[in-house]
Amino acid sequence: MWLGIVFALLSCAAYTAAAVAQRRLAVAVRAPLTDRHRVAELLWHPLWWVSLVFNGGRAGFQVGAVSFAPLTVIQPLGVLVLVFGIPWSARLDGRRVTREEWRGAAFTMVALGVLLAVTVTNGGGGTMDTADSLLVGAGTTAALAVTAWIAGRLPSASWRSYLLSGAAGVAFGVSSATVKTAVAVIAATGAAGLVHPAALATPVIAVFGLFLAQAAYQGMELGAPLGITTFTNPVAASVVGVAFMGESYTGGWAGAAVAVVCAVLAGYGIRLLTVPRDGESAAAVSPLP
């Protein structure tokens, strides 16, 4: 159990480092990533590859964490990325964390922690079959593409960030379900499992999620997009688990009521994380030299 918790903390630290790197990259590449030339600029920037390395480490540590401890212990620890990330990002920006940001982080972390603690599945499910894997993989990819298209046409940087970070969380949550299926299929069938829909969909959805998360930081501070991604990730994974992997929701009506309250509190907390500093927008942060 304690080894699983250690791996979970390392996963949070790696995820935080990746998010901070992506936030710094968003400052360096200021324009929205709907322009193809901006995406090319992104891929040439060292911070993009730094974030990929840390995201890879996060995934590896997360696998180790769930191997030694149950999800009901590991998932609530994910809120620590806000504890690590917000002051870290503020420090790199040469400023102090504002009172609104601390309040927003507190509301969001408490809401997420309670949500993950009381709205759980029984964990007794298995994996997706071929048809379900194809449906989930293709459906998620299409939904993410449509979301990115819509977000690129929103005039508000804040709402664009909300939409993109929510989509990124969905991508990460769904990819955790597809990778579980892919690993099981490959272990059972060998190399033939590499062409299973879940195995093919996992890298597409995961990479899509990385680009969406990166785009969500454009013109925004770290807290709000990171909070939304952290919120939607486990929710998406739970929905896929219940709908396609044979898990059952154990929260009941009481858990559903708590989930609604937590969603409202998390939304309020995320709203506080978007309050401009000293009347200035988050986009006013000076770019890196």
Side-chain angles (χ1 to χ4, degrees), residues 242-256:
V242 171
F244 298 100
M245 301 175 72
E247 295 189 359
S248 60
Y249 175 67
T250 59
W253 287 106

Side-chain angles (χ1 to χ4, degrees), residues 180-256:
K180 180 180 179 180
T181 297
V183 169
V185 171
I186 292 172
T189 64
L194 295 174
V195 296
H196 190 275
L200 297 175
T202 296
V204 175
I205 296 174
V207 172
F208 214 149
L210 289 177
F211 277 103
L212 290 168
Q214 178 62 60
Y217 292 120
Q218 304 300 119
M220 293 290 289
E221 285 293 348
L222 183 81
L226 185 59
I228 294 173
T229 301
T230 306
F231 182 84
T232 54
N233 183 335
V235 171
S238 297
V239 168
V240 174
V242 171
F244 298 100
M245 301 175 72
E247 295 189 359
S248 60
Y249 175 67
T250 59
W253 287 106

Side-chain angles (χ1 to χ4, degrees), residues 32 89 92 108:
S89 181
L92 291 178
T108 306

Side-chain angles (χ1 to χ4, degrees), residues 1 6 25 43 47 71 92 118 127 137 149 160 186 188 191 205 234 242 244 251 260 273:
M1 174 73 75
V6 170
L25 180 55
L43 296 178
L47 280 174
L71 284 174
L92 291 178
V118 301
T127 58
W149 184 85
R160 182 169 60 245
I186 292 172
I205 296 174
V242 171
F244 298 100
V260 171
L273 290 172

Side-chain angles (χ1 to χ4, degrees), residues 37-106:
H37 298 292
R38 294 295 180 182
V39 174
E41 181 182 352
L42 181 78
L43 296 178
W44 281 103
H45 202 289
L47 280 174
W48 170 254
W49 300 104
V50 169
S51 69
L52 284 184
V53 170
F54 280 116
N55 271 307
R58 170 187 66 98
F61 287 131
Q62 185 71 6
V63 171
V66 299
S67 298
F68 292 100
L71 284 174
T72 51
V73 173
I74 298 303
Q75 281 189 324
L77 295 176
V79 301
L80 292 176
V81 296
L82 290 172
V83 180
F84 299 156
I86 291 175
W88 190 354
S89 181
R91 177 67 177 175
L92 291 178
D93 284 341
R95 66 178 183 86
R96 292 184 178 181
V97 180
T98 66
R99 180 179 299 178
E100 289 77 11
E101 285 178 312
W102 280 126
R103 289 176 58 208

